[in-house]
Amino acid sequence: MYDSLAGKVAMITGAANGIGLSAAQCLASAGARLVLSDIDEAAGKKILTQFHEFGLDAHFVRCDVTDGQSVQALINFTLERYDRIDCAVNNAGIEHPHTKLADLDDDDFDRVIAVNLKGVYLCLKHELKAMLRQGFGVIVNTASLAGLGGAPALGGYAASKHGVMGLTRTAALEYARRGIRVNAVCPSFTNTDMVKRMVASDPRLGQRLNNASPMKRMGEPDEVARAIAWLCSDESSYVNGQGLALDGGISAW
Ligand SMILES: NC(=O)c1ccc[n+]([C@@H]2O[C@H](COP(=O)([O-])OP(=O)(O)OC[C@H]3O[C@@H](n4cnc5c(N)ncnc54)[C@H](O)[C@@H]3O)[C@@H](O)[C@H]2O)c1
């Protein structure tokens, strides 16, 4: 699947868990060379050991996406090691407690904006500079269905993901003529630790999340990962500036 990814250099943030880890596995199985990054160094190094046991070409760099210097160091590492960045997957993200806007804690709002929105902005900015120098590249941001519409009890999160869509569409328009494509994936609830944390705080929520989908189940991380790999590949060569909903049909309502 996605033969064009063989030998490509792909950088992924938030790669130690969930959707980022699945994306890394999917890109690796298509033959891409990987620079994995995450703020969770212990989990990242464990994943890297497993990748090396399978003979995969991969590195791990600890990166906090809220810190511009940390992001710059990740880009520098990739360029020093491989001399190019073919694909960048800006996936690192966090949630805040389920609560309506009037009760949302200001610090929780700030944290979500810092990681989900400013983090993607910083990654995009440094990746675009590198891709403009080389004259090619593909970027995939992990937004959310909450970046395409309202998300009750997740207002700060929805604001951050709408911001990611704004950055995605703008970057796509600004750099389409420079050989760079920028898209986003927009998953609905997906079966990762992020959702497990939400459900742990409200046991009835799990069933509600399953029922929200016409398919009566959540998405699985590899279902998002395959879309990320497709958007990274030449098979999606005319797709640009899009937010691809991966929601079992929720947005068809
Ligand atoms: N799971 C869902 O239902 C769902 C739905 C839509 C969108 N998303 C988005 O998908 C992305 C991945 O989420 P997930 O569900 O795999 O969550 P997850 O919690 O399983 O994984 C997120 C990863 O991001 C890392 N991370 C957190 N803060 C970071 C920082 N400051 N710098 C670098 N890395 C950091 C974490 O250590 C973790 O490894 C996020 O952007 C999330 O908003 C998730």
Side-chain angles (χ1 to χ4, degrees):
M1 199 166 52
Y2 313 135
D3 292 344
S4 64
L5 288 172
K8 292 263 171 81
V9 175
M11 220 181 63
I12 308 169
T13 67
N17 289 289
I19 291 169
L21 174 56
S22 274
Q25 290 164 334
C26 197
L27 290 164
S29 70
R33 298 174 286 168
L34 300 178
V35 178
L36 312 171
S37 76
D38 204 286
I39 198 170
D40 184 345
E41 190 163 19
K45 288 194 165 161
K46 207 163 134 195
I47 300 299
L48 186 67
T49 305
Q50 290 165 5
F51 274 49
H52 286 165
E53 280 166 6
F54 282 101
L56 299 172
D57 185 340
H59 298 274
F60 176 78
V61 177
R62 183 191 179 279
C63 173
D64 177 351
V65 296
T66 66
D67 173 357
Q69 287 183 348
S70 186
V71 172
Q72 179 72 71
L74 168 65
I75 308 279
N76 290 348
F77 176 92
T78 308
L79 293 174
E80 278 159 24
R81 197 61 49 141
Y82 293 112
D83 215 23
R84 59 195 289 153
I85 306 171
D86 295 289
C87 318
V89 181
N90 300 321
N91 166 78
I94 58 170
E95 75 284 13
H96 60 67
H98 250 227
T99 186
K100 290 186 184 170
L101 277 169
D103 300 316
L104 183 58
D105 184 89
D106 293 350
D107 289 341
D108 286 338
F109 181 84
D110 287 345
R111 244 189 308 278
V112 157
I113 295 295
V115 177
N116 296 6
L117 180 53
K118 188 164 182 203
V120 170
Y121 158 73
L122 289 170
C123 289
L124 261 180
K125 177 176 170 158
H126 292 292
E127 289 155 4
L128 285 166
K129 282 183 182 171
M131 289 178 178
L132 284 168
R133 279 196 298 273
Q134 64 190 25
F136 57 83
V138 182
I139 298 174
V140 180
N141 298 321
T142 306
S144 170
L145 200 59
L148 300 176
L154 281 172
Y157 183 83
S160 72
K161 296 299 187 178
H162 275 71
V164 171
M165 286 313 304
L167 291 171
T168 301
R169 292 176 176 129
T170 301
L173 293 170
E174 287 180 342
Y175 300 108
R177 292 205 306 170
R178 306 289 299 273
I180 301 168
R181 289 189 300 119
V182 187
N183 289 292
V185 287
C186 296
S188 58
F189 289 105
T190 306
N191 188 16
T192 68
D193 288 350
M194 182 178 280
V195 164
K196 287 180 188 134
R197 284 190 294 270
M198 290 182 193
V199 171
S201 65
D202 179 358
R204 290 164 308 164
L205 187 61
Q207 202 47 48
R208 286 216 307 276
L209 298 184
N210 286 330
N211 285 337
S213 164
M215 295 175 75
K216 298 298 169 203
R217 66 169 179 85
M218 276 182 235
E220 292 297 325
D222 69 294
E223 293 177 308
V224 182
R226 278 180 269 134
I228 291 173
W230 177 69
L231 288 171
C232 284
S233 76
D234 293 347
E235 280 76 5
S236 64
S237 52
Y238 202 53
V239 182
N240 195 24
Q242 300 303 305
L244 178 58
L246 298 152
D247 63 356
I250 294 175
S251 53
W253 263 318

